[in-house]
């Protein structure tokens, strides 16, 4: 096991019906099975209400899908980073295109807060320009995802390779410590291999895995090029 | 067991450090123990990241502390009511004073959405005037909590009984199907008994229980007047 | 003058530096000049802090860029629809891709609220699928804007005509009373003409106009195909 | 004229119907009249859609009721600090109890941003404890307002003088450069005099002025103790 090394396969469960009920735990277990078999880094991002439960059931790193900035204590309803950590999660997505933050300060504040308590930030960007801006805040990982390809089944690494290449360059220039991932439309092992060839340190996948009929099979297919 | 009957003791865990790690499950188990012993209705509201885990461990009804309106599917980061239901929770707080919604439409939309999928709404109000307005939206429960008494240790039912009485009247007039609870500053069984005497159908308690040294003892004390 | 008829040219000023200081009023006056000369429908959407001022200076219809749901009265900081109306504005953008609302209820509530006080809704969608969903809420206008083309200088009507065609069909099917506009990347009169040919009842333009050196000239160019 | 010196009378127009139409400008002019006559510092906070218009009509300093953190440019719908400055406003309320920010980072980010562009921050707190916390962020002014007294007609300086005294002490201890104001329920000159006697450097007033029948008369009455 490489810990949370790279290249990494990050699985965003979103709030798909496929992970309702006990689905989130089952999908995380499928990920764990492949992680062990292939010795490849995999991160799972279950719906936030499932964070503690999934963390208890698997050893693969669990990330929140979003965190608020509210403090522990009197902050009813907030997703507090310290709570997220205490129940075993290892990090959080930030600024996913379905949970865009309206200001760069909102992203920076979250990266700083997570870092200060030992959690990992996986920030999201929609364009190479945003990669440049957000990389400066120093998240451990930064995923570029063109929104029009999300859920499309057309992989960014195949149909818009220039966006990945430009993002890799922009990221290295802005902050060489940040690892650039890519996402959107990734459904096959070939898509993943193409992403790695373009310089990405991993991929962020949602519907391509969550909506597949055989979770173990598709995770394996996507993980092989990263092993 | 009365199910979620009334009078009811609702415990809001907020994001207090006392419920970090396995604390949320332990506190829920303490609540369950007293529920069984006294045959009194108790609801627990753990931090949202603990919802699935707590629901798996206890039979007392579990409520979310807040829900978003986003739909199942591509709604990364949102607390989706359908997810909350699928993992075993029975309802949600709405409009808590630490998560105030800025418009009455935002409250009504959540009550409607929860009702449409069979979840229970526990809306919060700060004044008798707000009780009148929100009761019209038809939440199952409505808790009046003067914000200045929250966490104060001075019980609304003792130091501002008029607010409870006026809220009971306002609620009955606006919508007799809504059950009026009260909260803020409640720490003793006497405070609970006073609330019931004023016409409240239950109490909403947070720090008075969560920050107590002996959870079982304090829950018992507060539950006895409701049994 | 056609009032707010169609086809319409809607100019979103965003918060570009070009409309700082007295820029918002000047741009609105340029729009008014062309509106009079060509007898074409034009709507201006200045930054929200400029709404009252711009409304006082021009006769072209003024729209807010966003409205909150908060009520008149004790709602410090909110953009209240009734205030927007009282100072002379005629409607509002809703759900612009830079101010996405997270749930369809949030869009529907705003359409209903604006309609109830006689203001016009111009809702935004990113895809034909979203057009189908949002059209059912009955906004007067609905603009489809693929986010990846916004500010790109590559017109949706030229590089992705299928999106416009599909949106026109989707809109008609979902709610024939809703007028479908399109936007993103529109910078020339040819782009506008292409949009109209595809069935759009108007266009939503931002940087293509706001960042142009000669406002009057570019507005005229874009308005001619609509006259 | 003392510029924005202290003691200061800050008038929050909220979104009361009394300032609909041309009401915001008229109320600002009434404030200006008294400012000139008594040579006392007065700040007006009109509804955000009226910011540019009010700024053009009066010389009294104009503050926004709330600002977002979004940057100039592609930030449709946001209240951008740089826009607020460009149209002549001098500062902004932050964290008013009707527009509470959920995290201290959200307050600090706004204070920093406003300061960086030469705008004045008037942050709000609900308790002496919050005064201690927020004062450290260095807003020019900090107003303590117990929420239960807002709009009550019972002045904080009369019915809860201890809150003002404790806040003055907490503020001085946390950051002696921050000027402590108080608000909530202030309706008479006596209320203002009491606030000053308790050590406040000014008052924040809303309904007490906005809902008065004779604006000039009530502003004069409240301003006299500050002259």
């Amino acid at each position: 096991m490489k810990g949370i090394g790279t290249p990494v396969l990050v699985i965003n469960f979103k709030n798909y019906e496929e992970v309702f009920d006990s689905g989130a735990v089952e999908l995380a277990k499928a990920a764990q099975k492949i992680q062990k078999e292939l010795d490849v880094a995999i991160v799972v991002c279950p719906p936030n209400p499932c964070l503690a439960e999934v963390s208890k059931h698997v050893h693969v790193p669990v990330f929140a899908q979003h965190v608020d900035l509210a403090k522990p204590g009197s902050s009813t309803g907030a997703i507090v980073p310290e709570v997220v950590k205490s129940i075993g999660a290892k990090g959080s997505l930030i600024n996913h295109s379905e949970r865009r933050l309206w200001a760069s300060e909102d992203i920076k504040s979250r990266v700083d807060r997570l870092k200060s308590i030992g959690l990992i930030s996986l920030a999201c960007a929609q364009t190479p320009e945003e990669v440049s801006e957000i990389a400066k805040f120093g998240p451990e990982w930064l995923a570029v995802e063109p929104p029009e390809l999300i859920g499309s089944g057309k992989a960014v690494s195949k149909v818009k390779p220039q966006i990945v290449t430009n993002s890799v360059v922009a990221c290295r220039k802005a902050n060489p410590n940040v690892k650039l991932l890519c996402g959107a439309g990734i459904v096959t092992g070939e898509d993943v291999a193409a992403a790695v060839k373009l310089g990405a340190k991993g991929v962020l996948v949602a519907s391509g895995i969550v909506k597949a009929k055989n979770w173990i099979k598709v995770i394996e297919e996507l993980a092989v090029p990263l092993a």
Side-chain angles (χ1 to χ4, degrees), chain A:
Chain A
M1 224 278 293
K2 303 179 185 176
I4 315 187
T6 50
V8 66
L9 170 61
V10 182
I11 310 175
N12 178 8
F13 297 13
K14 297 194 177 181
N15 286 297
Y16 287 122
E17 295 189 13
E18 286 79 1
V19 298
F20 276 24
D21 306 303
S22 58
V25 170
E26 285 162 29
L27 178 49
K29 284 184 176 170
Q32 179 168 260
K33 185 177 155 68
I34 301 302
Q35 184 196 45
K36 282 182 183 160
E37 284 181 16
L38 299 182
D39 189 26
V40 66
I42 302 184
V43 169
V44 296
C45 310
N48 278 353
C50 308
L51 277 177
E53 195 197 16
V54 171
S55 295
K56 293 293 172 297
H57 279 83
V58 296
H59 298 294
V60 287
V62 175
F63 276 28
Q65 291 183 2
H66 168 76
V67 286
D68 295 309
L69 289 169
K71 294 279 193 309
S74 297
S75 49
T76 299
I79 304 293
V80 173
E82 286 79 359
V83 171
V84 166
K85 182 181 183 183
S86 89
I87 47 95
K90 303 300 182 197
S92 182
L93 300 184
I94 294 176
N95 194 41
H96 187 275
S97 75
E98 291 158 13
R99 189 83 185 196
R100 291 275 282 180
L101 298 170
W102 289 331
S104 53
E105 281 97 329
D106 295 324
I107 301 173
K108 183 180 186 307
S109 299
R110 280 169 176 76
V111 172
D112 290 347
R113 175 77 166 278
L114 291 174
K115 196 167 287 185
S116 75
I117 62 171
L119 290 182
I120 296 170
S121 295
L122 197 182
C124 298
Q126 296 187 340
T127 61
E129 291 71 37
E130 286 188 14
V131 165
S132 289
E133 186 189 358
I134 300 174
K136 289 176 188 142
F137 304 147
E140 280 77 359
W141 292 333
L142 181 47
V144 65
E145 291 199 307
E148 72 276 15
L149 296 180
I150 294 179
S152 71
K154 291 179 284 183
V156 61
S157 51
K158 300 289 278 295
V159 304
K160 298 212 173 171
Q162 201 65 35
I163 286 185
V164 181
T165 314
N166 292 351
S167 295
V168 168
V169 172
C171 186
R172 193 181 305 140
K173 202 170 160 185
N175 189 338
N177 296 320
V178 177
K179 290 160 195 156
L180 195 281
L181 315 183
C182 69
I186 288 172
V187 287
T188 69
E190 222 178 278
D191 299 337
V192 176
V196 173
K197 194 172 270 180
L198 293 166
K201 301 288 185 196
V203 292
L204 178 54
V205 184
S207 62
I209 288 176
V210 183
K211 290 180 161 298
K213 280 184 190 164
N214 188 327
W215 285 339
I216 289 176
K217 201 177 139 198
V218 69
I219 296 174
E220 184 173 31
E221 180 185 339
L222 299 197
V224 162
L226 302 172

